[in-house]
Amino acid sequence: MGGGVSKAPYESIEAALADGKTQEEIDAWQAANNNTKDDNNNAENVESNNNGEENGGDGGGPDWMAMFAHKGDYEAQKEKFGPAPDCTNPTEGWYWYGQDGQHGPELKPEIDEAKLNVADRPADVFYVHPTTYLGDLWNMPIAEKACRQSTDYYIHHEASVFNGSCRLFIPKFRQSVIAGMGYADEGKLATELAYLDIKKAFEYYLANENKGRPFILASHSQGSLYTMRLMLEFIEGKELFSRFVACYGLASWAPLSLFQGDTAVFEQIKLCQGPETSGCYISWNCEHPDTAKQHDENKDSKEPGDWYPQMGHKMMEENVWRIAHGEPIVCTNPFTWMSNQNDEAYPSEEWRGMLNLLNGSTLTTDDEEVKDMDTMMSLVYTPNATIQLKKLVKMMPDEFNTKFSDESTKFKCVVNMKSGDLQLVALPVEIAGSSIQSYEHMNFLLFWFNIRNNVAARIKKFVEKEV
């Protein structure tokens, strides 16, 4: 959802377009930075959308200008969005509905310990995926197929982190198009519709599946707009708080003032301040150090940023939206599980390694390995791209550190207190860094094993307190 670029000449694709850059200029810059266009992908399996028009998908890479362009009059499109998913029918209204399995979000790395059977898992997770729709409408019709493999890609490697301890519930929804994050007026309408689908699915889960069980909310990017609203509407100050373990709402870009100070709307739900606390909120967004510096300067200037959703967060029943212009953003350090703090006195976990989706026949297009993250992200942002995540592979910290040209470099992260970025070291492209994209795509990948371990520990502590 963010799209912030890690290096000059411009901060993001959106900013480049706003500055008058042409598609050709953007393509030329990408080609000069490790050639993000995938020359090997010539997918021609073009699907038709609900309008009867053909989506892109020529395999040449994303059409950035089309992707972030204004989509026209919202009201005139409403009938084209189609009906809401039928959340009463698990096979139609859900990507995953609490079942056992060895594929999809039930994948696990071979090196990881065995999973519990679904019936033996002590908690549930309600997970909402990030933006994958890149079409011509403000909201994605449920029947849309052009972004299904990109959606599966995120569901498989993000939701799977919770399958060691939780039953997985993953709803379908009429998501906002990615351009909706850049236009405040239409973004409010598009995300409102998407939230209504998420809300209905959550209500159905509570009525039919929860049955008093501990549960986690989890999400990424656009999805985190909706889990935050679920917290306020269903959990904050409500009986349901007694079953709420935590929300892992990554890349939410939530203003810190939602949780602190006179304008806070969350009082019972606190920012995470430890590895085993419950009833808390967790969020971070990874960034290249150059980008974090740019964002920091943007905060100093009091100017709006373009790396977070321009409509902000709807936090009230009234039409009140909160946006992080000129103020800090929530950020949790996944090594200390402390939010918006960098005190070295807090115990820091060891890094457990990353989920490696490259150079292992794990992510393929037409049975070709994807060698670097720029190529992979180009595929994710290309409608009808033939990508398939076949397995999950762990890269150990020692192997990761050998990829740096300077052997003394170690992986580390620190919370940028102004921008709310989780500032990383510059990552080589061959181990999932990027020369053109924000590091947002690394939020789950880099900390997959730390998250998995933390989820188990947090649930264990929660259950012990209940006994």
Side-chain angles (χ1 to χ4, degrees), residues 202 212 240 365 404 407 438 464:
F202 188 61
L240 193 59
T365 169
F404 290 90
E407 294 185 2
S438 161
E464 288 173 351

Side-chain angles (χ1 to χ4, degrees), residues 201-211 215 234 240 243:
F202 188 61
E203 289 175 327
Y204 187 80
Y205 157 74
L206 291 177
N208 296 276
E209 291 291 344
N210 179 262
K211 299 178 182 177
F215 72 95
F234 290 91
L240 193 59
R243 286 173 265 164

Side-chain angles (χ1 to χ4, degrees), residues 300-366:
D300 277 342
S301 70
K302 307 296 183 184
E303 292 295 324
D306 67 352
W307 72 91
Y308 47 81
Q310 295 306 294
M311 80 293 295
H313 296 264
K314 188 176 182 184
M315 288 286 98
M316 311 289 181
E317 286 298 321
E318 301 82 13
N319 194 30
V320 176
W321 298 71
R322 298 274 289 277
I323 190 166
H325 291 344
E327 65 169 284
I329 290 172
V330 172
C331 183
T332 308
N333 186 324
F335 289 160
T336 64
W337 301 99
M338 305 296 293
S339 301
N340 294 80
Q341 298 185 54
N342 282 319
D343 193 331
E344 295 182 359
Y346 295 116
S348 180
E349 295 179 5
E350 67 173 327
W351 183 45
R352 296 173 178 269
M354 69 170 285
L355 199 61
N356 181 23
L357 305 185
L358 304 172
N359 297 309
S361 298
T362 56
L363 183 66
T364 65
T365 169
D366 298 333

